[in-house]
Amino acid sequence: RERERERERERERRCLKLRMRAFLCVACCTLQSKPLTPRTHHRTDPAKCLHTIEEKDNQIFALDYRPDGLMFATGGKDATVRVYDESTKTCTMSLKGAPGYGANVPAGHSNRIFSIKWHNTDENLLMSGGWDNTIQIWDTRLQKSVRSIFGPHLAGDSLDMAVDSAGKATILTGSWRPEGPLEMWDFESGALEEQIEWKDSLIQNQPCMLYAAQFSKASVSETSSAARYVAAGGSGANETRIFDRLAGSGQTALVGTVAGLNRGVFCVDWSPVQDKIAIGGGDGTIRILDVVDRTDDEGGMSNFDRHILVHDTTTETAGSGGAEEAASAPAEEKADEATGP
Protein backbone atom coordinates (compact mmCIF):
# COMPACT_ATOMS: atom_id res chain seq x y z
CA ARG A 1 0.00 0.00 0.00
CA GLU A 2 2.84 2.37 0.82
CA ARG A 3 4.53 1.62 -2.50
CA GLU A 4 1.28 2.37 -4.33
CA ARG A 5 0.96 5.73 -2.52
CA GLU A 6 4.55 6.55 -3.46
CA ARG A 7 3.83 5.77 -7.10
CA GLU A 8 0.78 8.06 -6.97
CA ARG A 9 2.90 10.85 -5.48
CA GLU A 10 5.47 10.40 -8.25
CA ARG A 11 2.77 10.60 -10.93
CA GLU A 12 1.48 13.81 -9.40
CA ARG A 13 4.96 15.30 -9.25
CA ARG A 14 5.61 14.41 -12.87
CA CYS A 15 2.54 16.30 -14.07
CA LEU A 16 4.62 19.46 -14.45
CA LYS A 17 8.28 20.13 -15.01
CA LEU A 18 9.19 23.44 -13.47
CA ARG A 19 12.09 25.47 -14.79
CA MET A 20 12.82 28.31 -12.40
CA ARG A 21 14.88 31.36 -13.10
CA ALA A 22 15.39 34.70 -11.39
CA PHE A 23 13.10 37.49 -12.51
CA LEU A 24 13.24 41.21 -11.78
CA CYS A 25 9.96 43.09 -11.61
CA VAL A 26 9.62 46.87 -11.26
CA ALA A 27 6.19 47.89 -9.98
CA CYS A 28 4.85 51.15 -11.36
CA CYS A 29 1.99 51.52 -8.89
CA THR A 30 0.42 49.76 -5.92
CA LEU A 31 -3.32 49.47 -5.26
CA GLN A 32 -4.29 48.98 -1.63
CA SER A 33 -7.78 47.96 -0.55
CA LYS A 34 -9.70 49.72 2.21
CA PRO A 35 -12.51 48.50 4.49
CA LEU A 36 -15.08 50.26 2.30
CA THR A 37 -13.44 49.78 -1.06
CA PRO A 38 -14.03 52.41 -3.77
CA ARG A 39 -13.52 51.58 -7.43
CA THR A 40 -10.58 53.50 -8.93
CA HIS A 41 -9.09 54.12 -12.38
CA HIS A 42 -5.29 54.08 -12.52
CA ARG A 43 -2.72 54.82 -15.19
CA THR A 44 0.43 52.74 -15.11
CA ASP A 45 2.76 55.25 -16.80
CA PRO A 46 2.98 57.55 -15.00
CA ALA A 47 1.35 56.07 -11.91
CA LYS A 48 -1.72 58.24 -11.36
CA CYS A 49 -5.24 57.75 -10.07
CA LEU A 50 -7.61 59.00 -12.78
CA HIS A 51 -10.98 58.52 -11.12
CA THR A 52 -12.56 57.14 -7.96
CA ILE A 53 -16.10 55.82 -7.55
CA GLU A 54 -17.26 54.99 -4.04
CA GLU A 55 -20.19 52.70 -3.36
CA LYS A 56 -21.43 53.84 0.02
CA ASP A 57 -21.79 51.16 2.72
CA ASN A 58 -20.54 48.47 0.34
CA GLN A 59 -17.38 46.42 -0.08
CA ILE A 60 -16.47 45.59 -3.68
CA PHE A 61 -15.27 42.02 -4.20
CA ALA A 62 -15.76 41.62 -7.98
CA LEU A 63 -15.39 43.74 -11.12
CA ASP A 64 -15.42 42.98 -14.84
CA TYR A 65 -15.34 45.07 -18.01
CA ARG A 66 -17.57 44.32 -20.96
CA PRO A 67 -15.43 43.04 -23.87
CA ASP A 68 -15.85 46.31 -25.79
CA GLY A 69 -14.69 48.33 -22.76
CA LEU A 70 -17.71 50.66 -22.78
CA MET A 71 -19.33 49.30 -19.62
CA PHE A 72 -18.19 47.59 -16.43
CA ALA A 73 -19.96 45.92 -13.53
CA THR A 74 -19.19 45.54 -9.83
CA GLY A 75 -20.47 43.30 -7.04
CA GLY A 76 -19.81 42.86 -3.37
CA LYS A 77 -21.12 42.78 0.16
CA ASP A 78 -24.62 44.15 -0.49
CA ALA A 79 -25.51 41.40 -3.04
CA THR A 80 -26.15 43.96 -5.80
CA VAL A 81 -24.62 44.08 -9.29
CA ARG A 82 -24.04 47.65 -10.44
CA VAL A 83 -23.41 48.48 -14.10
CA TYR A 84 -21.39 51.61 -14.90
CA ASP A 85 -20.86 53.65 -18.05
CA GLU A 86 -17.10 53.90 -18.62
CA SER A 87 -17.20 57.30 -20.34
CA THR A 88 -19.32 59.09 -17.71
CA LYS A 89 -18.29 56.93 -14.70
CA THR A 90 -21.93 56.84 -13.59
CA CYS A 91 -24.03 53.88 -12.46
CA THR A 92 -26.63 53.13 -15.12
CA MET A 93 -28.46 50.33 -13.34
CA SER A 94 -28.52 48.21 -10.18
CA LEU A 95 -29.36 44.53 -10.58
CA LYS A 96 -30.74 42.70 -7.57
CA GLY A 97 -33.51 40.37 -6.49
CA ALA A 98 -36.43 40.93 -4.18
CA PRO A 99 -37.15 39.34 -0.79
CA GLY A 100 -39.54 36.44 -0.62
CA TYR A 101 -40.31 33.36 -2.67
CA GLY A 102 -42.51 32.52 -5.63
CA ALA A 103 -42.64 32.59 -9.42
CA ASN A 104 -43.40 36.31 -9.49
CA VAL A 105 -40.53 37.33 -7.19
CA PRO A 106 -37.50 38.61 -9.15
CA ALA A 107 -34.48 36.34 -8.72
CA GLY A 108 -31.20 37.69 -7.41
CA HIS A 109 -28.46 37.20 -4.86
CA SER A 110 -29.09 36.88 -1.14
CA ASN A 111 -25.44 37.02 -0.03
CA ARG A 112 -22.07 38.46 -1.02
CA ILE A 113 -21.00 38.48 -4.67
CA PHE A 114 -17.43 37.39 -5.37
CA SER A 115 -17.29 37.01 -9.15
CA ILE A 116 -18.74 38.78 -12.20
CA LYS A 117 -18.29 37.91 -15.87
CA TRP A 118 -19.74 39.57 -18.99
CA HIS A 119 -20.84 37.36 -21.87
CA ASN A 120 -18.07 36.99 -24.45
CA THR A 121 -20.23 37.83 -27.48
CA ASP A 122 -23.57 39.23 -26.22
CA GLU A 123 -23.14 42.72 -24.78
CA ASN A 124 -26.51 42.56 -23.01
CA LEU A 125 -25.74 39.57 -20.77
CA LEU A 126 -23.55 39.11 -17.70
CA MET A 127 -23.20 36.54 -14.92
CA SER A 128 -22.50 36.79 -11.20
CA GLY A 129 -21.95 34.36 -8.34
CA GLY A 130 -21.08 34.27 -4.67
CA TRP A 131 -21.91 32.83 -1.28
CA ASP A 132 -25.60 32.08 -1.90
CA ASN A 133 -24.85 28.98 -4.05
CA THR A 134 -26.33 30.45 -7.24
CA ILE A 135 -25.13 31.83 -10.56
CA GLN A 136 -27.39 34.63 -11.77
CA ILE A 137 -27.53 35.49 -15.49
CA TRP A 138 -28.63 39.09 -15.98
CA ASP A 139 -30.09 40.82 -19.05
CA THR A 140 -29.33 44.55 -19.01
CA ARG A 141 -32.22 45.25 -21.40
CA LEU A 142 -34.72 43.80 -18.93
CA GLN A 143 -32.59 44.76 -15.90
CA LYS A 144 -33.32 41.47 -14.14
CA SER A 145 -32.07 37.91 -13.79
CA VAL A 146 -33.31 35.74 -16.64
CA ARG A 147 -31.78 32.44 -15.48
CA SER A 148 -30.39 30.94 -12.29
CA ILE A 149 -27.96 28.06 -11.86
CA PHE A 150 -28.03 26.41 -8.44
CA GLY A 151 -25.07 24.74 -6.75
CA PRO A 152 -21.77 26.67 -7.18
CA HIS A 153 -20.46 28.29 -4.00
CA LEU A 154 -18.05 31.00 -5.17
CA ALA A 155 -15.61 32.71 -2.82
CA GLY A 156 -13.31 34.37 -5.35
CA ASP A 157 -12.74 35.08 -9.04
CA SER A 158 -13.86 31.63 -10.14
CA LEU A 159 -16.52 32.30 -12.79
CA ASP A 160 -15.68 32.26 -16.50
CA MET A 161 -17.12 31.59 -19.96
CA ALA A 162 -15.89 30.12 -23.24
CA VAL A 163 -17.69 30.39 -26.60
CA ASP A 164 -16.76 27.97 -29.40
CA SER A 165 -16.78 28.59 -33.15
CA ALA A 166 -20.41 27.40 -33.39
CA GLY A 167 -21.50 29.98 -30.82
CA LYS A 168 -22.05 27.50 -27.99
CA ALA A 169 -21.28 29.08 -24.62
CA THR A 170 -19.95 27.11 -21.65
CA ILE A 171 -19.75 28.41 -18.07
CA LEU A 172 -16.92 27.43 -15.74
CA THR A 173 -17.33 27.59 -11.95
CA GLY A 174 -14.87 26.88 -9.15
CA SER A 175 -16.49 26.33 -5.76
CA TRP A 176 -15.05 26.70 -2.26
CA ARG A 177 -15.95 23.18 -1.13
CA PRO A 178 -14.14 19.88 -0.68
CA GLU A 179 -16.05 17.75 -3.19
CA GLY A 180 -16.75 18.42 -6.87
CA PRO A 181 -15.41 21.97 -6.83
CA LEU A 182 -14.75 22.42 -10.58
CA GLU A 183 -17.75 22.29 -12.94
CA MET A 184 -18.80 23.28 -16.46
CA TRP A 185 -22.36 24.28 -17.36
CA ASP A 186 -24.32 24.86 -20.57
CA PHE A 187 -25.13 28.57 -20.76
CA GLU A 188 -28.41 28.24 -22.66
CA SER A 189 -30.06 25.57 -20.52
CA GLY A 190 -28.14 25.93 -17.25
CA ALA A 191 -27.57 22.16 -17.22
CA LEU A 192 -24.41 20.67 -15.73
CA GLU A 193 -22.16 19.46 -18.57
CA GLU A 194 -19.23 18.07 -16.62
CA GLN A 195 -17.91 17.87 -13.09
CA ILE A 196 -14.15 17.81 -13.59
CA GLU A 197 -12.51 15.19 -11.38
CA TRP A 198 -10.37 16.69 -8.63
CA LYS A 199 -8.80 14.13 -6.32
CA ASP A 200 -7.34 15.11 -2.96
CA SER A 201 -3.69 16.10 -3.05
CA LEU A 202 -1.30 13.34 -2.00
CA ILE A 203 1.27 15.93 -0.93
CA GLN A 204 -1.03 17.82 1.45
CA ASN A 205 -3.44 14.90 1.99
CA GLN A 206 -6.46 17.20 1.91
CA PRO A 207 -8.90 18.67 -0.63
CA CYS A 208 -8.41 21.96 -2.47
CA MET A 209 -11.06 24.63 -1.82
CA LEU A 210 -11.14 26.77 -4.97
CA TYR A 211 -10.81 30.55 -5.04
CA ALA A 212 -9.92 30.96 -8.73
CA ALA A 213 -10.84 29.28 -12.03
CA GLN A 214 -10.43 30.40 -15.64
CA PHE A 215 -10.50 29.14 -19.22
CA SER A 216 -7.37 29.78 -21.29
CA LYS A 217 -7.86 32.73 -23.62
CA ALA A 218 -5.67 31.82 -26.60
CA SER A 219 -7.51 30.23 -29.55
CA VAL A 220 -7.04 26.54 -30.22
CA SER A 221 -6.78 27.27 -33.97
CA GLU A 222 -7.61 29.94 -36.50
CA THR A 223 -11.06 28.43 -37.03
CA SER A 224 -11.99 27.86 -33.38
CA SER A 225 -12.24 30.13 -30.34
CA ALA A 226 -12.84 27.35 -27.81
CA ALA A 227 -10.60 27.58 -24.77
CA ARG A 228 -8.37 24.51 -24.59
CA TYR A 229 -7.11 24.64 -21.00
CA VAL A 230 -8.75 25.19 -17.63
CA ALA A 231 -6.75 26.45 -14.64
CA ALA A 232 -7.99 26.50 -11.06
CA GLY A 233 -6.43 26.91 -7.63
CA GLY A 234 -7.26 27.43 -4.00
CA SER A 235 -6.45 26.77 -0.37
CA GLY A 236 -6.32 23.65 1.78
CA ALA A 237 -4.07 21.70 -0.57
CA ASN A 238 -2.54 25.05 -1.68
CA GLU A 239 -2.21 24.12 -5.33
CA THR A 240 -3.11 25.01 -8.90
CA ARG A 241 -4.12 22.43 -11.48
CA ILE A 242 -4.29 22.70 -15.26
CA PHE A 243 -6.72 20.60 -17.30
CA ASP A 244 -6.92 19.92 -21.03
CA ARG A 245 -10.38 19.91 -22.66
CA LEU A 246 -8.96 18.34 -25.84
CA ALA A 247 -7.19 15.39 -24.24
CA GLY A 248 -9.06 12.98 -26.52
CA SER A 249 -10.64 10.89 -23.77
CA GLY A 250 -14.04 12.59 -23.94
CA GLN A 251 -13.42 14.08 -20.49
CA THR A 252 -11.42 17.10 -19.38
CA ALA A 253 -8.09 15.61 -18.25
CA LEU A 254 -5.54 16.74 -15.68
CA VAL A 255 -2.24 17.62 -17.38
CA GLY A 256 -0.37 19.66 -14.77
CA THR A 257 -0.15 20.52 -11.08
CA VAL A 258 1.68 23.30 -9.24
CA ALA A 259 1.83 21.91 -5.70
CA GLY A 260 3.72 22.22 -2.42
CA LEU A 261 2.92 25.92 -1.89
CA ASN A 262 3.02 27.47 1.59
CA ARG A 263 -0.22 29.43 1.16
CA GLY A 264 -3.37 29.24 -0.90
CA VAL A 265 -3.83 30.35 -4.51
CA PHE A 266 -6.28 33.25 -4.87
CA CYS A 267 -6.05 34.29 -8.52
CA VAL A 268 -5.09 32.89 -11.92
CA ASP A 269 -5.00 34.69 -15.27
CA TRP A 270 -4.18 33.37 -18.75
CA SER A 271 -2.40 35.40 -21.41
CA PRO A 272 -4.80 36.39 -24.24
CA VAL A 273 -2.28 35.58 -26.98
CA GLN A 274 -0.40 32.47 -25.86
CA ASP A 275 -0.51 29.57 -23.40
CA LYS A 276 1.06 31.49 -20.53
CA ILE A 277 -0.51 31.77 -17.07
CA ALA A 278 0.11 33.89 -13.99
CA ILE A 279 -0.69 32.52 -10.52
CA GLY A 280 -0.98 34.68 -7.38
CA GLY A 281 -1.24 33.43 -3.82
CA GLY A 282 -1.07 34.20 -0.14
CA ASP A 283 2.72 33.79 0.01
CA GLY A 284 3.21 37.13 -1.74
CA THR A 285 4.55 35.51 -4.93
CA ILE A 286 3.48 35.76 -8.56
CA ARG A 287 4.35 32.70 -10.64
CA ILE A 288 4.39 33.08 -14.43
CA LEU A 289 4.21 29.76 -16.29
CA ASP A 290 4.70 28.89 -19.96
CA VAL A 291 2.54 25.90 -20.90
CA VAL A 292 3.93 23.69 -23.66
CA ASP A 293 2.35 20.48 -24.94
CA ARG A 294 5.13 17.87 -25.04
CA THR A 295 3.27 15.89 -27.69
CA ASP A 296 4.17 18.69 -30.10
CA ASP A 297 7.85 17.74 -30.07
CA GLU A 298 7.99 14.27 -28.54
CA GLY A 299 5.96 11.79 -30.55
CA GLY A 300 4.71 8.40 -29.52
CA MET A 301 4.02 9.28 -25.89
CA SER A 302 1.52 7.19 -23.98
CA ASN A 303 -1.45 8.75 -22.15
CA PHE A 304 0.32 8.09 -18.86
CA ASP A 305 3.42 10.02 -19.94
CA ARG A 306 1.55 12.84 -21.65
CA HIS A 307 1.89 16.06 -19.69
CA ILE A 308 2.74 19.71 -20.17
CA LEU A 309 6.10 21.32 -19.78
CA VAL A 310 6.09 24.50 -17.74
CA HIS A 311 8.81 27.12 -17.52
CA ASP A 312 8.35 28.96 -14.23
CA THR A 313 9.28 32.62 -13.75
CA THR A 314 8.79 33.47 -10.07
CA THR A 315 8.40 37.03 -8.84
CA GLU A 316 8.55 37.48 -5.07
CA THR A 317 7.20 40.48 -3.20
CA ALA A 318 8.36 41.65 0.20
CA GLY A 319 7.76 39.07 2.91
CA SER A 320 7.02 36.21 0.53
CA GLY A 321 7.72 32.65 1.44
CA GLY A 322 9.59 31.69 -1.72
CA ALA A 323 8.75 29.14 -4.36
CA GLU A 324 8.02 25.72 -2.93
CA GLU A 325 6.73 24.13 -6.11
CA ALA A 326 10.23 22.84 -6.88
CA ALA A 327 9.24 19.91 -4.69
CA SER A 328 6.81 18.80 -7.39
CA ALA A 329 9.48 18.62 -10.11
CA PRO A 330 10.85 15.24 -11.22
CA ALA A 331 13.85 14.01 -9.25
CA GLU A 332 16.15 14.08 -12.27
CA GLU A 333 15.62 17.85 -12.65
CA LYS A 334 16.27 18.97 -9.09
CA ALA A 335 20.00 19.21 -9.69
CA ASP A 336 19.36 21.61 -12.59
CA GLU A 337 17.23 23.83 -10.38
CA ALA A 338 19.72 24.21 -7.55
CA THR A 339 20.64 27.63 -8.89
CA GLY A 340 17.03 28.82 -9.11
CA PRO A 341 15.42 31.44 -6.83
Side-chain angles (χ1 to χ4, degrees), residues 7 21 27 61 90 97 103 128 135 190 203-204 209 271 298-299 320 329:
R7 284 195 292 268
R21 62 184 183 271
F61 301 135
T90 57
S128 59
I135 302 297
I203 296 176
Q204 297 285 354
M209 317 281 275
S271 167
E298 293 187 20
S320 67

Side-chain angles (χ1 to χ4, degrees), residues 20-249:
M20 308 175 65
R21 62 184 183 271
F23 183 77
L24 178 63
C25 176
V26 180
C28 54
C29 64
T30 300
L31 305 182
Q32 186 176 13
S33 61
K34 298 179 180 180
L36 293 180
T37 310
R39 202 204 65 80
T40 60
H41 286 75
H42 283 260
R43 288 186 59 178
T44 58
D45 186 20
K48 181 181 179 181
C49 180
L50 301 179
H51 200 83
T52 300
I53 302 172
E54 184 173 354
E55 297 181 359
K56 188 176 181 181
D57 299 326
N58 188 31
Q59 291 178 314
I60 300 173
F61 301 135
L63 185 149
D64 190 44
Y65 266 91
R66 203 169 70 180
D68 61 11
L70 300 180
M71 309 286 285
F72 62 90
T74 67
K77 181 181 178 181
D78 65 357
T80 300
V81 175
R82 293 177 176 84
V83 178
Y84 290 86
D85 185 288
E86 165 60 28
S87 60
T88 63
K89 310 297 188 296
T90 57
C91 180
T92 61
M93 66 187 74
S94 295
L95 307 175
K96 58 183 179 180
Y101 300 92
N104 297 323
V105 178
H109 289 292
S110 60
N111 211 325
R112 302 183 180 203
I113 298 170
F114 281 95
S115 192
I116 291 178
K117 177 66 177 179
W118 285 88
H119 195 287
N120 294 17
T121 58
D122 191 329
E123 63 180 16
N124 301 302
L125 300 176
L126 69 156
M127 309 176 295
S128 59
W131 275 1
D132 62 358
N133 301 328
T134 71
I135 302 297
Q136 300 295 336
I137 300 175
W138 308 89
D139 190 322
T140 57
R141 295 164 297 189
L142 303 175
Q143 298 192 20
K144 69 176 185 179
S145 174
V146 294
R147 190 177 305 115
S148 300
I149 297 175
F150 298 93
H153 181 83
L154 308 189
D157 188 14
S158 55
L159 176 64
D160 201 12
M161 171 184 286
V163 181
D164 64 19
S165 57
K168 181 182 181 300
T170 301
I171 299 172
L172 174 71
T173 60
S175 296
W176 195 86
R177 65 187 182 209
E179 297 180 357
L182 194 58
E183 297 170 307
M184 292 193 294
W185 311 77
D186 178 68
F187 178 82
E188 292 298 328
S189 65
L192 179 64
E193 288 187 346
E194 182 181 355
Q195 188 174 86
I196 301 174
E197 184 179 22
W198 194 302
K199 295 182 179 180
D200 290 358
S201 170
L202 294 177
I203 296 176
Q204 297 285 354
N205 195 28
Q206 59 180 312
C208 188
M209 317 281 275
L210 299 185
Y211 281 105
Q214 191 180 91
F215 285 115
S216 60
K217 300 172 185 176
S219 298
V220 175
S221 67
E222 295 181 357
T223 60
S224 175
S225 59
R228 173 174 179 175
Y229 296 113
V230 171
S235 63
N238 298 340
E239 64 181 4
T240 298
R241 296 189 182 185
I242 299 175
F243 300 85
D244 190 350
R245 300 175 68 199
L246 303 179
S249 61

